Amino acid sequence: MKYKRILLKISGEALLGTQQFGIDQEPVKMIAGEIKKALDMGAQIAVVVGGGNIFRGMKNSAKLGMDQASGDYVGMLATVMNAIALQSALNQMDVPCRVQSAIAMNQIAEPYIRHRAIRHLEKGRVVIFAAGTGNPFFTTDTAAALRASEINAEAMLMAKNGVDGVYTDDPNTNPQAQRLENITYDDIIKNGLKVMDTAACALCKQNNIPIVVFDFEAENGIVDILNGEQIGTYIK
């Protein structure tokens, strides 16, 4: 395998399916199945899932008259709901899985403890990191980059919803936009490419963690990346 230990970042919107809101079991089961294939290869897999399918921080908090910090905390709780849904799907496939939350919720998740998370990975368990960093004003992209750094992940895989890589412009509005196969961290920051926030990109650059951006609906996408195939966009 090209990478032994990876962190998989899944957008909350990937769990929407055909719905406009909430969690659709079909994409959850599909993602769980792709994780199982990679685990069966011998990979160690940690996961960070967003919460945009349930609550999106600034946008929704403005509508409800909440300050950003309160909105971000609600968004963190949304990621916990998604993490538990994904854990349930993995358990149904007999995949051992643990949820670790950055906000204490002892009845439903372990507290985030770095050494315990690494031990779970070494024992062949999938670890889902929930509640972001536990602090407002940070996105789940930044949480993913932080956790990838803490567990010494060899790569961060960003599974996007309906986007198969990084483009020069928004492919949904600009048909002339071209997909980039290989770019650098600095290209993301300098050109303002909206694949992730700059804090997450800077953290991956600082810790030399390559990023692969791909479409989560690509069959065997994770397995192909682990086998070293060119899938999506490779950022290094």
Side-chain angles (χ1 to χ4, degrees):
M1 287 187 299
K2 185 174 183 179
Y3 307 114
K4 174 70 174 178
R5 179 180 295 170
I6 62 171
L7 186 136
L8 176 65
K9 168 61 171 63
I10 303 168
S11 66
E13 287 82 356
L15 308 184
L16 277 173
T18 57
Q19 305 175 159
Q20 293 185 333
F21 172 84
I23 302 171
D24 187 331
Q25 280 302 309
E26 288 307 312
V28 174
K29 290 178 181 177
M30 187 274 288
I31 292 169
E34 293 297 307
I35 291 173
K36 185 179 188 305
K37 291 177 189 176
L39 194 70
D40 289 343
M41 289 177 63
Q44 298 177 7
I45 305 172
V47 182
V48 170
V49 62
N53 56 317
I54 298 173
F55 191 92
R56 183 162 290 285
M58 288 188 291
K59 183 178 178 181
N60 289 22
S61 57
K63 290 180 182 177
L64 298 174
M66 287 193 287
D67 60 275
Q68 186 182 340
S70 297
D72 286 350
Y73 279 119
V74 175
M76 290 180 218
L77 299 180
T79 69
V80 177
M81 296 167 68
N82 286 338
I84 293 172
L86 182 57
Q87 181 189 39
S88 176
L90 287 166
N91 287 339
Q92 290 175 21
M93 297 178 182
D94 296 322
V95 174
C97 178
R98 299 290 186 274
V99 174
Q100 289 198 346
S101 172
I103 297 175
M105 298 184 185
N106 295 332
Q107 287 81 358
I108 57 175
E110 295 180 1
Y112 170 68
I113 300 174
R114 174 176 176 265
H115 292 294
R116 182 180 290 178
I118 292 173
R119 186 62 176 153
H120 285 322
L121 294 171
E122 291 173 343
K123 287 188 174 183
R125 299 168 184 147
V126 175
V127 181
I128 305 174
F129 298 120
T133 65
N135 301 289
F137 308 108
F138 291 94
T139 67
T140 50
D141 284 350
T142 302
L146 175 64
R147 298 294 183 242
S149 302
E150 289 181 305
I151 65 171
N152 303 316
E154 296 172 8
M156 184 166 82
L157 278 53
M158 298 195 70
K160 294 294 186 178
N161 184 22
V163 180
D164 61 351
V166 180
Y167 283 75
T168 54
D169 197 2
D170 186 349
N172 295 318
T173 58
N174 182 1
Q176 303 301 318
Q178 296 181 335
R179 183 165 66 86
L180 305 168
E181 289 193 356
N182 294 279
I183 56 176
T184 68
Y185 306 108
D186 290 336
D187 290 332
I188 297 286
I189 299 171
K190 181 175 64 177
N191 298 319
L193 299 175
K194 300 186 183 303
V195 61
M196 69 182 72
D197 64 75
T198 54
C201 189
L203 194 55
C204 287
K205 177 183 178 182
Q206 177 183 330
N207 294 287
N208 198 28
I209 300 172
I211 306 165
V212 183
V213 181
F214 70 107
D215 187 349
F216 85 97
E217 292 185 342
E219 187 175 359
N220 298 321
I222 301 174
V223 170
D224 289 342
I225 292 168
L226 292 177
N227 284 328
E229 297 184 27
Q230 178 66 48
I231 301 293
T233 299
Y234 185 68
I235 306 167
K236 63 178 181 178

